[in-house]
């Protein structure tokens, strides 16, 4: 029997009012936070890209978590749970261990290095330009074609299937709103509003989870009812559409097509470690911490939040299949296309379906607002991190003498470029997304990112690692990964019931197993070449590895004049920045211009005259400074520039002393954080043991 189904829900005026008030409140809170931060300190690239390094542990934790649970996560994770049960939890629970690795291995090294971005850290560690540029380009490609495209596609499903808006128009408007919102405030706005959105998302999803459990008579009925949820078009001859008998286990047979135990634990850990410990999108939040203690505490707290997807996404997704199996678990391609517009399958609408069918008026609006919060949070995070990467790692290669104003302008204009690319890429995402959001995202990550994690692990842990080793190991491994990815797209897996005609290596090698092999291969190449090349002197590695992280900080604590962050192996190769902005304090609307010829005796010194600036030029300058968030005090003359450099030096020295003190203090706060980390490790291990 066929089911007539409409994906557009009729929202009431109460639902629309809730959504509108949420969006207005989000913008107001974010802009207010940005203005307050600008008043507290002078505008600079550190303030824009790293929120003035003033974030508390709880805002970092919520921002880390919110950046991780965008619309893609809600839709993809709940959809995979509806199709395969608990298996998708492996990607969530490995994040517990990765966040501990971030807190205790990577964050101390990143902070002592003084880097803004991950490619900048690699540049400080190894020197030269090619590694920094290679990593920055790779990260931007991942942001545009893996992260941003998936978020946009998932967001389009939410908006179109709940509010009935035109898909392209609604996403275009949201991307433009998000871009403007990000440009107004930088990372301060993103992190503060992430914290607010985190509360909304957790509360809204929690209400839905409780209602879902109550609708099936309690958790005790989940297993029996899920395993009995067959769609109307179930094919008994092929088994297509049947619930997975291993649905309540994370680790399955090594030949399982979805979650083989070897890949689900070790492979997923590799992907998760790259995701949390080396991805600019997430590490940037810890770099914005006001201290090392807050960075660690925020990472540990985010680890506890990683246990929530079981309640917030997995169970509602499985309950959605129980109630709406004819839609969520449809088998026939033509029926799926009619039901949800996706011939490959309708599992991706599982979460949307349960929102529409189960939540009452008003509460439905709250949940849609929460989904929009996740969408805006993820996209703003991508925009801000992408702008940081482009400005620090690519633009400064072209213009090493760029000032603070120029860097912030470039970062914000690049956000505009990302917005345009996201809108233009939308039609491709609509045709290629299909019903495999989580599988697509994790497979692309498996093909491209394991060598990057190898680079950061070896750079942080092994001082003997050299630049030729990591460059050639990364380059060769990335080429192999790209080729394998292309082959897998050329030979896609067959639909249920179809014969598998793919070449044997592609058919038999799971993408998670490929990720493990690529990680090991990259480590082997990097180790071999590093041992065959000249090592870097320890003096050049001060503050840049786990072994040498205290070296430079101790020197800075003893001698404030040496407070500039270490340039590491890059010291001898730094581009000399001789161009200085020579601006003089002057009345508004006037410019000072030298006249006369200093080569003649009568004009041995240039004379200065006052020239009126046209009103249109002053208006444009006013708009430009407003757009970038700079006040009149930021014009700065020569004396102001010197004062800023002196202030930056003093701030670096003070930060160095604080880092050394924190690493040695053993304070009560340190003990609380360390005990919490041990508890988190125990909780994660218990969950793996319980559900594996």
């Amino acid at each position: 029997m066929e089911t007539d189904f409409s994906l557009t829900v009729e929202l009431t005026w109460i639902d629309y009012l809730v959504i509108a008030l949420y969006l207005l409140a989000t913008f107001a809170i974010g802009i207010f936070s940005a203005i307050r931060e600008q008043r507290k300190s002078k505008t600079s690239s550190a303030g824009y890209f790293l929120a003035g390094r003033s974030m508390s542990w709880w805002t970092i934790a919520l921002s880390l978590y919110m950046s991780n649970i965008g619309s893609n996560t809600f839709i993809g994770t709940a959809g995979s749970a509806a199709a395969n049960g608990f298996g998708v939890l492996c990607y969530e629970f490995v994040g517990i261990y990765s966040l501990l690795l971030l807190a205790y291995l990577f964050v101390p090294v990143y902070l002592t290095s003084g880097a803004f971005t991950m490619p900048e850290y690699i540049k400080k560690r190894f020197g030269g330009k090619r590694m920094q540029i290679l990593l920055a380009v790779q990260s931007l490609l991942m942001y545009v074609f893996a992260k941003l495209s998936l978020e946009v596609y998932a967001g389009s499903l939410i908006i179109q299937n709940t509010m009935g808006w035109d898909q392209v128009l609604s996403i275009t408007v949201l991307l433009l709103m998000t871009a403007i919102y990000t440009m107004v405030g930088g990372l301060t706005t993103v992190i503060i509003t992430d914290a607010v959105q985190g509360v909304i998302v957790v509360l809204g999803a929690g209400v839905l989870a409780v209602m879902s459990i109550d609708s099936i008579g309690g958790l005790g009925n989940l297993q029996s009812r899920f395993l009995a949820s067959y769609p109307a078009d179930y094919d008994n001859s092929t088994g297509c559409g049947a619930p997975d008998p291993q649905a309540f286990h994370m680790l399955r047979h090594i030949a399982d097509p979805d979650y083989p135990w070897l890949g689900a634990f070790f492979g997923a850990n590799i992907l998760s470690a790259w995701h949390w410990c080396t991805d600019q999108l997430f590490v940037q939040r810890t770099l914005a911490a006001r201290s090392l203690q807050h960075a660690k505490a925020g990472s540990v707290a985010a680890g506890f939040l990683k246990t929530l997807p079981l309640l917030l996404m997995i169970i509602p997704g499985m309950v959605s299949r129980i109630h709406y199996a004819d839609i969520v678990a449809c088998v026939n391609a033509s029926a799926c296309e009619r039901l949800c517009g996706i011939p490959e399958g309708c599992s991706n609408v599982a979460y949307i379906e349960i929102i529409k069918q189960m939540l009452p008026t008003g509460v439905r609006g709250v949940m849609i607002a929460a989904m929009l919060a996740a969408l805006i949070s993820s996209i703003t995070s991508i925009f801000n991190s992408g702008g940081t990467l482009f400005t620090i790692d690519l633009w400064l290669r072209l213009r090493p003498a760029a000032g603070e104003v120029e860097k912030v302008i470039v970062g914000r204009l690049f956000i505009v470029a990302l917005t345009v690319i996201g809108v233009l890429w939308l039609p491709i995402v609509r045709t290629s997304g299909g019903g495999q959001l989580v599988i697509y995202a994790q497979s692309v990550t498996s093909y491209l990112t394991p060598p990057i994690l190898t680079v950061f692990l070896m750079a942080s842990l092994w001082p003997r690692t050299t630049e030729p080793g990591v460059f050639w190991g990364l380059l060769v491994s990335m080429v192999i990964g790209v080729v394998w990815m292309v082959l897998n797209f050329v030979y896609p897996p067959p639909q249920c019931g179809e014969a598998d005609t793919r070449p044997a290596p592609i058919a038999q090698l799971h993408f998670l197993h490929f990720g493990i092999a690529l990680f090991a291969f990259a480590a082997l190449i990097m180790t071999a070449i590093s041992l065959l090349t000249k090592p870097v002197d320890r003096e050049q590695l001060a503050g840049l590895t786990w072994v040498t992280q205290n070296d430079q900080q101790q020197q800075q604590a003893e001698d404030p004049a040496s407070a500039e962050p270490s340039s590491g192996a890059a010291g001898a190769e730094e581009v000399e920045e001789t161009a200085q902005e020579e601006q003089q304090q002057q009345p508004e609307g006037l410019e000072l211009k030298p006249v006369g010829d200093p080569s003649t005796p009568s004009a041995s010194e240039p004379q200065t005259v006052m020239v009126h600036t046209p009103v249109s030029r002053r208006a444009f300058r006013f708009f430009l400074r407003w757009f970038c968030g700079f006040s009149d005090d930021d014009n700065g003359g020569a004396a102001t520039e010197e004062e800023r450099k002196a202030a930056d030096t003093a701030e670096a020295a003070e930060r160095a002393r604080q880092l050394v003190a924190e690493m040695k203090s053993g304070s009560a706060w340190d003990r609380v954080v360390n005990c919490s980390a041990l508890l988190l490790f125990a909780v994660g291990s218990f969950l793996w043991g319980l559900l594996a």
Side-chain angles (χ1 to χ4, degrees):
M1 182 180 69
E2 293 189 354
T3 304
D4 293 326
F5 176 68
S6 173
L7 281 174
T8 301
V9 66
E10 292 293 334
L11 299 182
T12 67
W13 67 270
I14 297 177
D15 295 319
Y16 284 112
L17 179 62
V18 169
I19 295 172
L21 290 177
Y22 161 75
L23 292 176
L24 289 175
T26 300
F27 270 74
I29 292 172
I31 294 173
F32 172 77
S33 302
I35 294 174
R36 186 180 64 175
E37 186 63 31
Q38 286 182 7
R39 289 177 177 176
K40 288 168 59 178
S41 60
K42 294 293 183 181
T43 303
S44 66
S45 56
Y48 178 70
F49 294 128
L50 295 183
R53 290 193 172 105
S54 61
M55 295 296 104
S56 301
W57 67 271
W58 65 273
T59 55
I60 292 172
L62 287 174
S63 183
L64 283 170
Y65 186 62
M66 279 304 303
S67 298
N68 179 239
I69 59 165
S71 302
N72 169 38
T73 309
F74 273 104
I75 291 180
T77 302
S80 293
N84 300 110
F86 284 177
V88 72
L89 273 173
C90 70
Y91 297 118
E92 298 296 327
F93 286 169
V94 292
I96 294 174
Y97 303 123
S98 298
L99 283 162
L100 289 174
L101 191 67
L102 173 66
Y104 286 91
L105 172 61
F106 287 102
V107 163
V109 175
Y110 292 155
L111 288 177
T112 56
S113 72
F116 275 20
T117 69
M118 298 303 93
E120 185 186 10
Y121 164 72
I122 292 298
K123 200 261 184 182
K124 286 172 172 282
R125 171 65 174 85
F126 295 111
K129 301 177 181 179
R130 56 184 185 176
M131 278 298 299
Q132 184 182 14
I133 294 174
L134 181 62
L135 285 173
V137 171
Q138 188 273 346
S139 297
L140 290 175
L141 290 176
M142 285 289 295
Y143 283 172
V144 173
F145 301 113
K147 296 178 180 293
L148 182 60
S149 61
L150 287 176
E151 293 294 343
V152 169
Y153 176 72
S156 70
L157 288 178
I158 295 173
I159 297 170
Q160 185 183 33
N161 297 336
T162 59
M163 303 180 71
W165 296 0
D166 175 77
Q167 187 181 50
V168 175
L169 177 61
S170 60
I171 290 300
T172 300
V173 171
L174 275 177
L175 283 174
L176 291 175
M177 289 174 60
T178 307
I180 295 172
Y181 168 72
T182 307
M183 289 187 295
V184 167
L187 188 60
T188 300
T189 300
V190 173
I191 290 182
I192 294 296
T193 53
D194 274 354
V196 177
Q197 291 167 1
V199 175
I200 295 175
V201 168
V202 171
L203 290 178
V207 170
L208 183 60
V210 172
M211 295 182 67
S212 300
I213 295 171
D214 182 67
S215 71
I216 60 172
L219 283 176
N221 296 324
L222 179 63
Q223 183 169 356
S224 60
R225 295 193 62 177
F226 182 84
L227 295 178
S229 57
Y230 289 83
D233 57 353
Y234 165 67
D235 189 343
N236 190 45
S237 62
T238 62
C240 295
D244 193 328
Q246 299 186 80
F248 290 83
H249 301 281
M250 285 195 298
L251 301 184
R252 305 172 184 180
H253 191 274
I254 196 168
D256 187 88
D258 297 309
Y259 305 101
W261 69 266
L262 183 65
F265 185 78
F266 294 103
N269 262 298
I270 291 174
L271 304 187
S272 179
W274 166 81
H275 183 81
W276 290 105
C277 302
T278 71
D279 189 350
Q280 177 70 18
L281 190 66
F282 301 99
V283 176
Q284 189 174 13
R285 275 125 187 84
T286 62
L287 297 183
R290 63 178 59 174
S291 68
L292 177 60
Q293 291 174 333
H294 281 270
K296 285 184 175 182
S299 301
V300 172
F304 282 104
L305 293 177
K306 286 298 290 180
T307 63
L308 294 179
L310 174 61
L311 175 66
L312 301 184
M313 304 174 198
I314 302 298
I315 292 177
M318 299 176 75
V319 172
S320 181
R321 179 188 175 112
I322 292 173
H323 290 309
Y324 319 112
D326 291 353
I327 301 167
V328 174
C330 66
V331 176
N332 184 271
S334 59
C336 290
E337 186 171 12
R338 177 175 53 82
L339 292 170
C340 67
I342 308 172
E344 291 80 4
C346 293
S347 62
N348 279 335
V349 303
Y351 203 79
I352 302 174
E353 188 63 20
I354 202 169
I355 290 174
K356 297 190 313 173
Q357 304 283 5
M358 189 170 292
L359 292 180
T361 299
V363 179
R364 182 193 301 126
V366 172
M367 197 57 219
I368 293 174
M371 298 290 285
L372 292 177
L375 172 66
I376 292 176
S377 176
S378 294
I379 296 179
T380 51
S381 299
I382 293 170
F383 282 164
N384 192 273
S385 296
T388 305
L389 281 172
F390 180 81
T391 304
I392 303 299
D393 298 313
L394 297 180
W395 184 256
L396 290 184
R397 298 300 99 204
L398 300 175
R399 288 182 53 81
E404 298 293 336
V405 176
E406 180 178 343
K407 285 189 286 187
V408 176
I409 291 176
V410 169
R412 294 184 175 183
L413 291 180
F414 186 74
I415 291 174
V416 177
L418 280 182
T419 305
V420 173
I421 295 173
V423 173
L424 294 178
W425 193 251
L426 184 59
I428 299 176
V429 176
R430 292 175 61 188
T431 58
S432 62
Q436 307 176 26
L437 279 182
V438 170
I439 299 299
Y440 171 80
Q442 298 299 336
S443 62
V444 170
T445 306
S446 295
Y447 302 141
L448 299 180
T449 61
I452 299 176
L453 176 63
T454 310
V455 169
F456 281 88
L457 280 174
M458 297 189 68
S460 302
L461 293 176
W462 192 33
R464 184 64 178 79
T465 309
T466 63
E467 193 273 348
V470 294
F471 176 78
W472 290 109
L474 177 62
L475 184 61
V476 173
S477 301
M478 286 187 64
V479 169
I480 294 174
V482 170
V483 171
W484 193 256
M485 179 178 67
V486 172
L487 289 175
N488 275 269
F489 284 136
V490 172
Y491 299 101
Q495 296 296 317
C496 182
E498 297 178 352
D500 193 344
T501 59
R502 295 176 294 171
I506 296 178
Q508 297 174 6
L509 184 59
H510 194 276
F511 62 83
L512 288 173
H513 294 161
F514 176 82
I516 297 173
L518 192 62
F519 175 82
F521 175 78
L524 180 64
I525 296 295
M526 293 176 192
T527 301
I529 297 179
S530 293
L531 291 174
L532 295 174
T533 51
K534 182 181 178 181
V536 180
D537 294 335
R538 183 183 176 104
E539 291 77 12
Q540 293 181 305
L541 297 178
L544 299 175
T545 72
W546 178 259
V547 177
T548 63
Q549 62 178 310
N550 294 330
D551 292 4
Q552 183 181 0
Q553 304 304 330
Q554 291 172 347
Q555 297 171 7
Q556 293 176 358
E558 296 170 0
D559 181 13
S562 64
E564 285 294 326
S566 172
S567 58
E573 302 177 28
E574 284 292 333
V575 178
E576 183 178 2
E577 299 184 3
T578 57
Q580 299 286 340
E581 278 193 23
E582 297 183 356
Q583 299 177 338
Q584 302 294 330
Q585 297 285 359
Q586 54 191 323
E588 183 179 356
L590 296 176
E591 291 186 60
L592 301 181
K593 294 189 176 181
V595 296
D597 183 4
S599 63
T600 62
S602 60
S604 57
E605 295 184 1
Q607 305 296 315
T608 302
V609 298
M610 298 244 180
V611 180
H612 282 274
T613 304
V615 175
S616 59
R617 184 174 175 182
R618 275 184 285 156
F620 174 75
R621 184 178 298 171
F622 173 82
F623 169 79
L624 191 62
R625 301 192 71 79
W626 170 84
F627 177 77
C628 296
F630 285 91
S631 64
D632 293 337
D633 294 337
D634 295 316
N635 281 325
T640 304
E641 185 67 23
E642 292 176 1
E643 291 174 1
R644 287 182 183 174
K645 288 184 177 180
D648 289 343
T649 299
E651 181 182 353
E654 179 61 26
R655 189 168 179 81
R657 287 192 290 270
Q658 291 176 357
L659 285 172
V660 173
E662 288 182 63
M663 291 176 182
K664 298 180 177 180
S665 65
S667 63
W669 177 245
D670 273 335
R671 290 191 289 272
V672 170
V673 173
N674 293 338
C675 290
S676 300
L678 290 175
L679 178 60
L680 175 62
F681 182 85
V683 169
S685 301
F686 170 77
L687 291 173
W688 271 97
L690 178 67
L691 301 175

